[in-house]
Structure formats: C-alpha cells, structure tokens
Amino acid sequence: MMHPLRPRLLLPLLLIAAAVCGCGTPGSSGGAATAPSGPVSTGFDTSQKVDLTIWDDETSPGDSKTEDELIHEFEQRYPNVTVHRVVKSFDDYMSTIKLAASSSNPPDVFQGNEGYAVDQALIRAGLILPLNGEAAAYGWDTRFGNPATLDALRWSADGSTWGSGTLWGVAQKAEVLGVFYDKDVMARLGLRPPRTFAQFQQTLAAARAAGVPPVMVGGLDRWPLGHVFMVLQALYEKPSAIEAWAFGHSGASFDTPATRRAAATFAQWGAKGYFENGFNGVSQQTAAARFAKGEGLYFITGPWENQTFAGPLGNRVGFFPMPGLRPGPSATTGSLSLPYHISARTPHPAVAAALIDFLTGQHAAKLLIEHGDLPAADPGGAALAGESSLAAIARTWQQKSRAGLLVPYLDWATASMGDTMFGGLQQLSQGAITPAQFTAAVQKDWESAHS
C-alpha cells in the first residue's frame, strides 16, 4: 500500500533541492552524467562476484515483501550477485538519499522522485546515469503502455527541461486517481455506477438528499482536496495543456476558461454539501476510516488507499475512473511512482540495469498485485481478472496509460505549488475566494518559478 503523502508533498524535499543544487559529485564538474558509448547489452559477466546496494522507501508490508522476494529471486538467477537492501521511511529516505548518492560509496541503485525538487537536482549534480540505451535494450519504452507515460522521467541532458529528452529512471509502481465507491450504499440508494459526469453529479445530489455523505475527503490535510480538483480539471482542460503547465513549458497557463470551469464545479460541490459535514476539519486518515466503515458513497483518491478500504469492505468496495463529460474514454491524473536510478559512480552499471529490469517487469507486477499494490507494468490478464477494486484500478491504469490519457500531478509544477494550490482549494471549498481568484493565484506562483 502506498503512503498517500509520499509522492506528492514537496515540503520535505526543499532542503534536498537546496543542498543538491549547490554541489556536485565529488571529483566531478557537477555536470550531467554520461553513459558509456556504444550499444547497451542486457547481459553481463556472471563469472565475477558482484555486490550491489539498493536503497528504497518501500516500507509498507506488501511492498517490502515484494521487494525482498524479487531481490532473492534475482540472486538465485545470478548466483554471482549479492544485493544489499537499505530501506527507509519516506521522510528519512528523502533527507538522506542525496548525501548517500554524492558520497564516495553511493548505493548502486536508488529511488528518486519526479520533479524539480529531487530528480532535476540529481541530474544537474551528475549523480545518476542516463538510461536511453538501457530502455532500448530492455524494452522499457513500451513496457508501461504509451511511451508518453515515461515523460515524467525524462529531462534534457543538462536537467533544465522536464518532460522530454533523456530517460533517467524507471518505476516499479503506478498511480491513477479515480473514484472508490461503496457498492452496498449505492444499491441502498437505488443508484448504479455512472457512465457520464452528468450522471455522476446526479448521484451526488441523490446521496445528499438521502443524508449520505456524497464524497468523503480529509480537507484538514488540504492535499486530498487537490486530488479531487485534479480529477475535475482533467475533464475540462486539454491533457496537453495540463502537461505543458505541470512540466513548466514556456507560455503555459493555469488561468484558463476550462480550468476556471473545473474550479467552479469544485466550489459548487462545497456549496451544495457534496463533501462530508465539517470536511475541512477532518483528516484524510479519519475520512478514509469512516468510508471504510460504510459512512459515504464515494472517495476520490489513488491506489495507496485501496487496502484501507478493501481490507474491511472486501469486494463491497469498487473503483472506476471519473466518467467523462460525454461517453467514452477521458483523461485523469496519474503517473509512475518513485523511479529507480543508477548511480553515476557504480562500478556495475550493467548489473544495476538488469536488477532494475527485474524489479519492474511483468513478474514483479504479478507479485505487486498479489501483495495489494498497483504495478506500472502489465501483470497479465489473469492478474487483472475478477471484481476486486485493485483489479479495477489496474485495468484503469492500463487503459489510461496505453491511450495516453494520464496527466501529471499539478503540485509538481513548482516547489511551492503544494502550499499555493492546496491552500487555495481549501478556501475555494468554503466560498472564501472565487474560481477566478484561485486560478490567478496558482498561475502567479507558476510564473514566479518559470519566468
């Protein structure tokens, strides 16, 4: 199960960004790392003993068990390789990984984090290797659906431009935002899963009229409101416009008619009582616990909460992507999770690449499904069968990623965007600011970072 704060909150990462931007790899010029010349092979010398160290933050029971099993299987496949795993909680991990990566004895493989706070800093400091050759050799470009799915892990060679260019990492897991729903509550209200957004809003009104909280959300933590808004914006705004803005492309804007329309819908939900009573004084943990007890109809979030709900509710909990404004596929927010990088100082880049390939392939995907999390790679049809919420999430990820219908998390856009956007949404939900004031304030933050 993925921690809900892990990939999205940037505040713990600001110290890392400041530290990394000010120093390079010892003994180097601090520029971007370069890969060995020539074609990349998927093989390596198995006659020589190799010790690899990997750092990760997979602390939840299912994810940690998956990691240990995969590493053990890799060592069995390659008896000459011994893998030493170091696992830390997210905050501890992110406060120490740059120092470890820039040391004289760095981990050979380690996780980073998308965006300007971590991955850009690692690239600019020359601490990780570019992976275009490995991607071609192992087929990583097509492993995760549409090649655009990897855009959040691509940067220019100098780390100045995000969203295109060189591939620097590969992820094991994935995230896609959507709607969890309580099947028993829906049946009790005489409702069916909606197929359009208009039908979805009708179910909100029906639940409110019956005294059932339509959407459970922990507004006290602010960031959960961001996930609700992101799903709405993806309905109204063009995916290309959202991507350009999140990646910091010149001329992009958040202050558009389409985004203001999404903000207006969000504000209307607050005014109409579509969020649970007192939601801005309720934590996400409390809201999730209440939903898991059958107290609401919907919960808009990602796969990290799946086991929170499926544990007590079993197949009573379902999942679907937010229905579009019209029938047919529509965009939603989603991404690969924390990427694995290869240290620029490792003496064993080929073995490190083979390990990353093993950790992110179809076999690993099947294990992740078995242990309750969402893999980035396709686990195969058998693993996606059934009526569980996790199977529905995995099918949604596969469908959206293959169709190129995933848009980035909006708080990636700047190091301060989480505070600006999430605080603004809390005000918007209470009617303290207008949709136009909200979109203008967010765009001002963006322009201050990207002008």
Coordinates of all heavy atoms in Angstrom, one line a residue, residues 62-63 66-67 70 73 143-144 171-174 356-384 390 394 397-398:
G62 N 3.2 -5.1 2.3 CA 3.1 -5.8 1.0 C 4.3 -5.4 0.0 O 4.9 -6.2 -0.6
D63 N 4.6 -4.1 0.0 CA 5.6 -3.6 -0.9 C 7.0 -4.1 -0.5 O 7.8 -4.5 -1.3 CB 5.6 -2.1 -1.0 CG 4.4 -1.5 -1.7 OD1 3.7 -2.3 -2.4 OD2 4.0 -0.4 -1.4
T66 N 7.3 -7.7 -1.4 CA 7.6 -7.9 -2.8 C 9.0 -7.6 -3.1 O 9.7 -8.4 -3.9 CB 6.7 -6.9 -3.6 OG1 5.3 -7.2 -3.4 CG2 7.0 -7.0 -5.1
E67 N 9.6 -6.5 -2.6 CA 11.0 -6.2 -2.9 C 11.9 -7.3 -2.4 O 12.9 -7.7 -3.1 CB 11.3 -4.9 -2.2 CG 12.4 -4.1 -2.8 CD 12.0 -3.3 -4.0 OE1 10.9 -3.5 -4.5 OE2 12.9 -2.6 -4.5
L70 N 11.7 -10.4 -4.7 CA 12.3 -10.1 -6.1 C 13.8 -10.1 -6.0 O 14.5 -10.7 -6.8 CB 11.8 -8.8 -6.6 CG 10.3 -8.8 -7.1 CD1 9.9 -7.4 -7.4 CD2 10.1 -9.7 -8.3
E73 N 15.0 -13.7 -5.7 CA 14.9 -14.4 -6.9 C 16.0 -13.9 -7.9 O 16.5 -14.7 -8.7 CB 13.5 -14.2 -7.6 CG 12.4 -14.8 -6.8 CD 11.0 -14.6 -7.4 OE1 11.0 -14.1 -8.6 OE2 10.0 -14.9 -6.8
R143 N 7.1 -0.8 -22.1 CA 6.6 -1.7 -21.0 C 5.5 -1.1 -20.3 O 4.6 -1.8 -19.7 CB 7.8 -1.9 -20.0 CG 7.4 -2.7 -18.8 CD 8.6 -3.0 -18.0 NE 9.4 -4.0 -18.7 CZ 10.6 -4.5 -18.2 NH1 11.1 -4.1 -17.1 NH2 11.3 -5.4 -18.9
F144 N 5.3 0.2 -20.2 CA 4.4 0.9 -19.4 C 3.2 1.5 -20.1 O 2.6 2.5 -19.7 CB 5.1 1.9 -18.5 CG 6.3 1.3 -17.8 CD1 7.6 1.6 -18.2 CD2 6.1 0.5 -16.7 CE1 8.7 1.1 -17.6 CE2 7.3 -0.1 -16.1 CZ 8.5 0.2 -16.5
A171 N 10.2 3.2 -13.1 CA 9.4 3.0 -11.9 C 8.9 1.6 -11.8 O 8.6 0.9 -12.9 CB 8.3 4.0 -11.8
Q172 N 8.6 1.1 -10.6 CA 8.0 -0.2 -10.4 C 6.5 -0.1 -10.3 O 5.8 -1.0 -10.7 CB 8.6 -0.8 -9.1 CG 8.1 -2.2 -8.8 CD 8.6 -2.7 -7.4 OE1 8.2 -2.0 -6.4 NE2 9.4 -3.7 -7.4
K173 N 6.0 0.9 -9.7 CA 4.6 1.1 -9.4 C 4.0 2.3 -10.1 O 4.7 3.1 -10.7 CB 4.4 1.2 -7.9 CG 4.8 -0.1 -7.1 CD 4.5 0.0 -5.7 CE 5.4 1.1 -5.0 NZ 5.1 1.1 -3.5
A174 N 2.7 2.3 -10.0 CA 1.9 3.4 -10.7 C 0.9 3.9 -9.9 O 0.5 3.3 -8.8 CB 1.3 2.8 -12.0
I356 N 17.2 -3.4 -12.1 CA 16.0 -2.6 -12.3 C 15.0 -3.2 -13.2 O 13.8 -3.2 -13.0 CB 16.5 -1.2 -12.8 CG1 17.2 -0.4 -11.7 CG2 15.3 -0.4 -13.4 CD1 17.8 0.9 -12.2
D357 N 15.5 -3.8 -14.3 CA 14.6 -4.5 -15.2 C 13.8 -5.6 -14.5 O 12.6 -5.7 -14.8 CB 15.4 -5.1 -16.4 CG 14.6 -5.8 -17.4 OD1 13.8 -5.1 -18.1 OD2 14.6 -7.1 -17.5
F358 N 14.5 -6.4 -13.7 CA 13.8 -7.4 -13.0 C 12.8 -6.9 -12.0 O 11.7 -7.5 -11.8 CB 14.8 -8.3 -12.2 CG 14.3 -9.6 -11.7 CD1 14.0 -10.6 -12.6 CD2 14.0 -9.8 -10.3 CE1 13.5 -11.9 -12.1 CE2 13.6 -11.0 -9.9 CZ 13.3 -12.0 -10.7
L359 N 13.1 -5.8 -11.3 CA 12.2 -5.2 -10.3 C 10.9 -4.5 -11.0 O 10.0 -4.3 -10.3 CB 12.9 -4.1 -9.5 CG 14.0 -4.6 -8.6 CD1 14.7 -3.5 -7.9 CD2 13.5 -5.6 -7.5
T360 N 11.0 -4.3 -12.3 CA 9.9 -3.5 -12.9 C 9.2 -4.3 -14.0 O 8.4 -3.7 -14.7 CB 10.5 -2.2 -13.5 OG1 11.5 -2.5 -14.5 CG2 11.1 -1.3 -12.4
G361 N 9.5 -5.6 -14.2 CA 8.9 -6.4 -15.2 C 7.6 -7.0 -14.9 O 7.0 -6.7 -13.8
Q362 N 7.1 -7.9 -15.8 CA 5.8 -8.5 -15.6 C 5.7 -9.4 -14.4 O 4.7 -9.4 -13.7 CB 5.3 -9.2 -16.8 CG 3.9 -9.7 -16.7 CD 3.4 -10.4 -18.0 OE1 3.7 -11.6 -18.3 NE2 2.7 -9.6 -18.8
H363 N 6.8 -10.1 -14.1 CA 6.8 -11.0 -12.9 C 6.6 -10.2 -11.6 O 5.9 -10.5 -10.7 CB 8.0 -11.8 -12.9 CG 8.2 -12.6 -11.6 ND1 7.3 -13.7 -11.3 CD2 9.1 -12.6 -10.6 CE1 7.7 -14.2 -10.1 NE2 8.7 -13.5 -9.7
A364 N 7.4 -9.1 -11.6 CA 7.3 -8.2 -10.4 C 5.9 -7.6 -10.3 O 5.3 -7.4 -9.2 CB 8.3 -7.0 -10.5
A365 N 5.3 -7.3 -11.5 CA 3.9 -6.7 -11.5 C 2.9 -7.7 -10.9 O 2.0 -7.3 -10.1 CB 3.5 -6.4 -12.9
K366 N 3.1 -9.0 -11.2 CA 2.2 -10.0 -10.6 C 2.3 -10.1 -9.1 O 1.3 -10.2 -8.4 CB 2.5 -11.4 -11.3 CG 2.1 -11.5 -12.7 CD 2.4 -12.8 -13.3 CE 2.0 -12.9 -14.8 NZ 2.4 -14.3 -15.4
L367 N 3.5 -10.0 -8.6 CA 3.8 -10.0 -7.2 C 3.1 -8.8 -6.5 O 2.6 -8.9 -5.4 CB 5.3 -10.1 -6.9 CG 5.9 -11.5 -7.0 CD1 7.4 -11.3 -6.6 CD2 5.3 -12.5 -6.2
L368 N 3.3 -7.7 -7.1 CA 2.7 -6.4 -6.5 C 1.2 -6.6 -6.4 O 0.6 -6.2 -5.4 CB 3.1 -5.2 -7.4 CG 4.5 -4.7 -7.2 CD1 4.8 -3.7 -8.3 CD2 4.6 -4.0 -5.8
I369 N 0.6 -7.1 -7.5 CA -0.9 -7.3 -7.4 C -1.2 -8.3 -6.3 O -2.2 -8.0 -5.5 CB -1.4 -7.9 -8.8 CG1 -1.4 -6.8 -9.9 CG2 -2.8 -8.4 -8.6 CD1 -2.5 -5.8 -9.8
E370 N -0.5 -9.3 -6.2 CA -0.8 -10.3 -5.1 C -0.7 -9.7 -3.7 O -1.4 -10.1 -2.8 CB 0.2 -11.5 -5.2 CG 0.0 -12.4 -6.5 CD 1.0 -13.5 -6.6 OE1 1.8 -13.6 -5.7 OE2 1.0 -14.1 -7.6
H371 N 0.3 -8.7 -3.6 CA 0.5 -8.1 -2.3 C -0.2 -6.8 -2.1 O 0.0 -6.1 -1.2 CB 2.0 -7.9 -2.1 CG 2.8 -9.2 -2.0 ND1 4.1 -9.3 -2.3 CD2 2.4 -10.5 -1.7 CE1 4.5 -10.6 -2.2 NE2 3.5 -11.3 -1.8
G372 N -1.1 -6.5 -3.1 CA -2.1 -5.4 -2.8 C -1.7 -4.0 -3.3 O -2.3 -3.0 -2.9
D373 N -0.7 -3.9 -4.3 CA -0.4 -2.6 -4.8 C -0.5 -2.6 -6.4 O -0.7 -3.7 -7.0 CB 1.0 -2.2 -4.4 CG 1.1 -0.7 -4.2 OD1 0.3 0.1 -4.9 OD2 2.0 -0.2 -3.4
L374 N -0.4 -1.4 -6.9 CA -0.6 -1.2 -8.4 C 0.7 -1.2 -9.1 O 1.5 -0.3 -8.9 CB -1.4 0.1 -8.6 CG -1.6 0.4 -10.1 CD1 -2.4 -0.6 -10.8 CD2 -2.2 1.8 -10.2
P375 N 1.0 -2.2 -10.0 CA 2.3 -2.2 -10.7 C 2.2 -1.2 -11.9 O 1.1 -1.0 -12.5 CB 2.4 -3.6 -11.2 CG 1.0 -4.1 -11.4 CD 0.2 -3.4 -10.3
A376 N 3.3 -0.7 -12.4 CA 3.4 0.1 -13.6 C 3.3 -0.8 -14.8 O 2.7 -0.4 -15.8 CB 4.7 0.9 -13.6
A377 N 4.0 -2.0 -14.8 CA 3.9 -2.9 -16.0 C 2.7 -3.7 -16.0 O 2.0 -3.9 -14.9 CB 5.2 -3.8 -15.9
D378 N 2.3 -4.2 -17.1 CA 1.1 -5.1 -17.2 C 1.4 -6.4 -16.6 O 2.3 -7.1 -16.9 CB 0.8 -5.3 -18.7 CG -0.5 -6.0 -19.0 OD1 -1.1 -6.5 -18.0 OD2 -1.0 -6.0 -20.1
P379 N 0.6 -6.8 -15.5 CA 0.8 -8.0 -14.9 C 0.2 -9.2 -15.6 O 0.4 -10.4 -15.2 CB 0.1 -7.8 -13.5 CG -1.0 -6.9 -13.9 CD -0.5 -6.0 -14.9
G380 N -0.5 -9.0 -16.7 CA -1.1 -10.1 -17.4 C -2.6 -10.2 -17.2 O -3.1 -9.7 -16.1
G381 N -3.3 -10.7 -18.1 CA -4.8 -10.8 -18.0 C -5.3 -11.5 -16.8 O -6.3 -11.1 -16.2
A382 N -4.6 -12.6 -16.3 CA -5.1 -13.3 -15.2 C -5.1 -12.5 -13.9 O -6.0 -12.5 -13.1 CB -4.3 -14.6 -15.0
A383 N -4.1 -11.7 -13.8 CA -3.9 -10.9 -12.6 C -5.0 -9.8 -12.5 O -5.3 -9.2 -11.5 CB -2.5 -10.3 -12.5
L384 N -5.5 -9.4 -13.7 CA -6.4 -8.3 -13.8 C -7.9 -8.8 -13.8 O -8.8 -8.0 -13.8 CB -6.2 -7.5 -15.1 CG -4.8 -6.8 -15.2 CD1 -4.8 -6.0 -16.5 CD2 -4.5 -5.9 -14.0
L390 N -8.8 -3.5 -6.6 CA -7.4 -3.5 -7.1 C -7.4 -3.9 -8.6 O -6.7 -3.2 -9.4 CB -6.5 -4.3 -6.3 CG -5.0 -4.3 -6.7 CD1 -4.5 -2.8 -6.6 CD2 -4.2 -5.2 -5.8
A394 N -6.1 -1.5 -11.6 CA -5.1 -1.9 -12.6 C -5.6 -1.8 -14.0 O -4.8 -1.4 -14.9 CB -4.6 -3.4 -12.3
W397 N -5.5 1.8 -14.9 CA -4.2 2.3 -15.3 C -3.7 1.8 -16.6 O -3.2 2.6 -17.4 CB -3.2 1.8 -14.2 CG -1.7 1.8 -14.7 CD1 -1.0 0.8 -15.2 CD2 -0.9 3.0 -14.7 NE1 0.3 1.3 -15.5 CE2 0.3 2.6 -15.3 CE3 -1.1 4.3 -14.4 CZ2 1.4 3.5 -15.5 CZ3 0.0 5.2 -14.6 CH2 1.2 4.8 -15.1
Q398 N -3.9 0.6 -17.0 CA -3.5 0.0 -18.3 C -4.3 0.8 -19.4 O -3.6 1.2 -20.4 CB -3.8 -1.5 -18.3 CG -2.9 -2.3 -17.4 CD -1.5 -2.2 -17.8 OE1 -1.1 -2.2 -19.0 NE2 -0.6 -2.2 -16.8

